[in-house]
Amino acid sequence: MLAALIASGLLALPGERLAAVELALAVGTPGMAALGVATGALVAGLRGAGAVAGLVMLPLGVPLVIFGAGAVESGQGLKLLGATSLVLLVGAPLVAAGAMKIARD
């Protein structure tokens, strides 16, 4: 979020656009972090985990990026971004727990 502040100064973004960027980052970042936790738990211990992690995370992370861009551009995507982030925040610990339980057995 600090990098967005610096980038807005370099790109001469108006204040209302910077506020939209910061809000979208604040809403979308927890969802992306939860997705990373779930992906890490799913691919833990696999050979070639980096490639598999990219294949698992990409289709699930793209909606966050699209809704985040929509939230910045028109403000319409903020509700969808929040909903997607909440679904990931609720589901990621369950997925991670299940993946670790399966890997332990």
Side-chain angles (χ1 to χ4, degrees):
M1 291 176 69
L2 183 63
L5 182 64
I6 295 168
S8 70
L10 293 173
L11 296 172
L13 287 177
E16 61 272 357
R17 182 63 58 99
L18 175 62
V21 169
E22 292 291 336
L23 183 61
L25 281 172
V27 172
T29 300
M32 193 64 81
L35 182 59
V37 167
T39 302
L42 285 171
V43 300
L46 292 179
R47 201 175 279 176
V52 175
L55 291 174
V56 170
M57 193 165 181
L58 186 64
L60 298 173
V62 168
L64 282 171
V65 174
I66 291 172
F67 296 147
V72 169
E73 189 64 32
S74 65
Q76 299 293 328
L78 190 61
K79 291 179 184 175
L80 292 172
L81 178 64
T84 306
S85 187
L86 282 175
V87 165
L88 288 172
L89 281 172
V90 169
L94 301 173
V95 169
M100 287 189 283
K101 185 177 180 181
I102 290 171
R104 188 179 55 181
D105 293 338

